[in-house]
Amino acid sequence: MEYEAVIGMEVHVQLNCKSKLFCGCSTDFHAPANTNVCPVCLGMPGAMPVLNREMVNKSVAVGLALNCAISRWSKMDRKNYFYPDQSKNYQISQYDLPLNHGGHLDIHVNGETKRIGITRAHMEEDTARNTHTIGGGQSGVDFNRCGVPLLEIVTEPDIHSADEAYAYLTELKQILQYLDVSDCSMEEGKLRAEANISVRPKGSTAFGTKTEVKNVASFSGTYKAIQYEIARQIQILNDGGTIVQETRGWDDDRGVTFSQRAKESAHDYRYFPEPDLVPIVVDEAWEESIRAALPELPAARRARLTGAFGLSDYDAGVLTATRAMADFYEAAAAKTDPKKAANWIMGDLQALVTEDRAEIGSIPVTPEYLAAMINLIEDGTISGKIAKEVLAEMYRTGKSPAAVVEEKGLVQISDHGAIDAAVAEVIAANPAQVAEFKAGKEKVIGFLVGQIMKATQGKANPKMVNDILRAKLSE
C-alpha cells in the first residue's frame, strides 16, 4: 500500500525582549544559573504577573508577517501540569483565544511554491531548564529561563514530507530574523521545532494516529527525524501493528526516534483563564502602527532583487539568506556591476567569511570596498586573479583595495612590449607544448597562458596575454 505523510509543525521561538514575559527579570542566556529570578517567575504565592508590552508588539509583528489575523481581544490562560521545570505547577499560555490566528506562509520546495496554513501564533512563558549531567546521580534546575517570552507558531497539517518541513523552517527562521525579533539560536534553545507526524493510505482524507517528535537540536536533525518516523510508522502498519499516540525524542547518534511519554490531550491540562492578568486588547491603530514598521520580508526582497538586478532565483535566494547579507549585497551592487558583485560575495568573500566563522555584517571588508575592487578589475588596473589576493588582504587588514594594490605593487601589466617579451620567453622554453598546440591540441593553450601568468606573477592582463600568444603561435 502506498502511504502519505501528514505533518504539522510547532515552533517555539524566544523573542528578544530584554525582560521576561511577566516580570522585569533579565533574559540574558549567559547569566549564572538561578540569578535572573524573582517571586513572579518562581511562582511564589501572592506574586502578580504583569504582561510585557514589547512581547505583544513583537508577537503582532510576527503574526502580520505570517499573514495572520490579529485578535482584537485575547487572553492568557493557565495550562496546568506538574513537572520540575515549572515551579508553580502551571504555565501561563494562550488557549482558545490566541493573539494571532488564521495565517499562511508560502514555501518553495522542489521547484514549486506551496502554501502552509498557520493555525495560530500564541504567547506563552518558557519553563526552567533541567540539567541531568552535573554528576553524582544528581539533577539541577536553572530557573533563569523560566518566564522567558516565547511565541508558539503552529501550522495546519499541510506538510507532507521532510523536504517541505525543512523549507518551512528555513523560511520561517528567515522571517523571524528579518523582523529582528529573535536570533533563532537553536544552540541556546531560542528556536525549537516539534513535528506532529502521521501517515495514511494515499488518497484517504482521514488522519492517522500521530506522534510528536520533540527537542531536536537542528533543522537537519528535524529533517532526519521526520524521514525516520515516516518510515517507522509505515513499517508498523505494513506489519499489521498500531501506531501509539506519544511524544518521541530523537537520538542523532543512532539516527532513531524513541518513546518518551504518552501524548497528553488538551483536556489533560485543565486550561482556564489566567485570573491575574487582564485581557489583551489590540485595537486597529495599534496593529497598524506595527504594520507600518515592518521591514521588507525575504520573499519580497528576493523578488525585487531578481527583477532589479537580473539575478537568478538561486542567486537571489543565497543573497537574501540573511538580512545582513542582503543589505551588504545591495550596498555593493549600487556601486558596481550587480552580477559581478553577486559572484564575488557568493564566491571568494563567502569563503573567507565561512573560514573565519564570522557574520557578513561584522567583517572588515565593506560593501563600498568590495565594489571598488570590482571596479579596479573592470578598468584594467588589476586582473581577476590578483583581485583574489587583494580581497584576502582587504579582509585581513580592512584596508581599501586601492591602498592594497599600491602597497603591494599589484597593478596589472598592460604594457604590450612587456607582455610580448614574456610570451616569447614561454614559447621558447616550451617547444613540445607549442608543437602539440600547432598539431591541434587546443587545450595546451591553457598551460602556456599559465606559464606566462606565473612569469609575470599573475599581473599580466589576461586578455592581452591570450591575444598575443595566439598571434605568435599562428605565425
Side-chain angles (χ1 to χ4, degrees):
M1 180 181 295
E2 189 174 359
Y3 289 93
E4 175 188 51
V6 180
I7 303 166
M9 297 297 303
E10 298 178 9
V11 172
H12 287 85
V13 57
Q14 178 182 328
L15 301 193
N16 55 5
C17 302
K18 292 180 180 177
S19 58
K20 294 184 180 181
L21 185 50
F22 301 117
C23 65
C25 289
S26 170
T27 56
D28 180 10
F29 175 83
H30 301 286
N34 294 310
T35 56
N36 291 334
V37 294
C38 73
V40 172
C41 53
L42 288 175
M44 296 294 185
M48 298 292 285
V50 177
L51 181 62
N52 186 333
R53 185 181 179 92
E54 183 184 15
M55 174 64 176
V56 179
N57 286 334
K58 292 184 174 179
S59 298
V60 170
V62 174
L64 292 173
L66 296 177
N67 306 291
C68 288
I70 310 302
S71 298
R72 287 282 171 265
W73 194 98
S74 64
K75 62 182 175 61
M76 305 301 298
D77 299 279
R78 287 190 183 183
K79 181 182 181 182
N80 298 279
Y81 67 92
F82 176 76
Y83 283 120
D85 61 4
Q86 185 54 276
S87 58
K88 56 181 180 277
N89 293 337
Y90 62 84
Q91 178 187 27
I92 303 179
S93 181
Q94 292 192 291
Y95 180 46
D96 55 334
L97 295 171
L99 183 63
N100 308 295
H101 60 277
H104 65 263
L105 175 61
D106 290 339
I107 62 172
H108 305 280
V109 59
N110 300 326
E112 297 182 354
T113 299
K114 180 171 182 178
R115 177 157 293 183
I116 307 298
I118 303 295
T119 310
R120 53 192 285 146
H122 66 263
M123 302 181 294
E124 65 181 24
E125 60 179 341
D126 206 350
T127 59
R129 186 163 67 96
N130 296 325
T131 304
H132 305 294
T133 56
I134 58 178
Q138 297 179 321
S139 295
V141 185
D142 179 5
F143 284 93
N144 280 357
R145 205 173 71 182
C146 191
V148 161
L150 295 182
L151 190 69
E152 181 174 352
I153 302 165
V154 182
T155 75
E156 294 291 304
D158 292 339
I159 297 170
H160 297 294
S161 69
D163 285 335
E164 292 181 6
Y166 190 90
Y168 167 76
L169 292 173
T170 302
E171 187 73 25
L172 177 62
K173 181 181 177 183
Q174 276 192 350
I175 288 174
L176 295 169
Q177 291 177 328
Y178 267 65
L179 290 171
D180 193 23
V181 298
S182 176
D183 62 18
C184 298
S185 168
M186 297 188 79
E187 292 79 10
E188 296 181 0
K190 294 177 181 175
L191 190 151
R192 308 194 289 271
E194 299 163 7
N196 289 286
I197 307 161
S198 65
V199 298
R200 64 187 176 191
K202 199 157 190 177
S204 170
T205 56
F207 292 122
T209 302
K210 66 182 179 182
T211 61
E212 182 181 29
V213 180
K214 295 175 71 79
N215 300 323
V216 187
S218 66
F219 286 179
S220 61
T222 303
Y223 179 89
K224 289 185 284 188
I226 290 173
Q227 281 194 314
Y228 176 86
E229 191 58 19
I230 292 171
R232 187 189 71 87
Q233 293 187 17
I234 290 174
Q235 184 65 52
I236 290 174
L237 295 176
N238 283 339
D239 292 344
T242 304
I243 306 298
V244 177
Q245 181 169 326
E246 61 184 348
T247 297
R248 298 180 69 84
W250 168 247
D251 187 326
D252 201 43
D253 292 333
R254 294 191 298 144
V256 299
T257 64
F258 58 92
S259 180
Q260 290 186 313
R261 64 176 186 269
K263 176 66 178 171
E264 299 88 348
S265 299
H267 65 264
D268 293 325
Y269 292 121
R270 300 294 191 271
Y271 282 98
F272 66 84
E274 166 58 54
D276 291 336
L277 287 164
V278 298
I280 304 160
V281 179
V282 179
D283 60 21
E284 187 173 346
W286 189 358
E287 176 184 328
E288 289 308 312
S289 69
I290 297 171
R291 188 191 303 278
L294 292 177
E296 184 182 35
L297 297 175
R301 199 161 192 178
R302 284 195 296 270
R304 182 170 59 78
L305 293 187
T306 302
F309 298 126
L311 300 178
S312 67
D313 290 341
Y314 174 81
D315 288 356
V318 172
L319 293 168
T320 58
T322 66
R323 189 171 169 181
M325 173 75 92
D327 289 345
F328 190 101
Y329 169 68
E330 286 211 67
K335 295 181 179 298
T336 189
D337 182 292
K339 180 57 179 171
K340 289 186 170 63
N343 291 340
W344 276 96
I345 291 172
M346 294 189 296
D348 292 75
L349 184 60
Q350 185 59 48
L352 291 168
V353 172
T354 301
E355 183 181 357
D356 196 30
R357 298 178 184 273
E359 299 291 338
I360 198 165
S362 59
I363 62 174
V365 179
T366 65
E368 292 74 19
Y369 281 0
L370 180 71
M373 187 203 75
I374 296 170
N375 291 338
L376 289 179
I377 303 171
E378 295 300 293
D379 67 17
T381 302
I382 58 175
S383 67
K385 184 176 180 180
I386 288 294
K388 294 175 182 290
E389 182 181 343
V390 172
L391 179 62
E393 186 66 8
M394 289 162 57
Y395 192 92
R396 190 180 71 80
T397 64
K399 293 181 178 178
S400 72
V404 172
V405 169
E406 182 178 352
E407 288 177 7
K408 290 184 167 291
L410 297 174
V411 174
Q412 182 169 258
I413 299 172
S414 296
D415 178 77
H416 190 282
I419 296 176
D420 189 87
V423 170
E425 289 179 8
V426 168
I427 288 177
N430 297 278
Q433 286 77 11
V434 170
E436 288 179 10
F437 178 79
K438 290 188 174 180
K441 198 171 181 180
E442 174 68 22
K443 66 180 182 181
V444 176
I445 195 80
F447 169 80
L448 296 171
V449 169
Q451 294 302 304
I452 297 165
M453 297 305 289
K454 182 180 180 181
T456 58
Q457 298 178 314
K459 299 178 186 176
N461 184 313
K463 184 176 185 308
M464 292 182 67
V465 167
N466 271 281
D467 291 346
I468 295 172
L469 177 61
R470 287 185 179 278
K472 283 186 174 296
L473 290 175
S474 65
E475 291 175 353

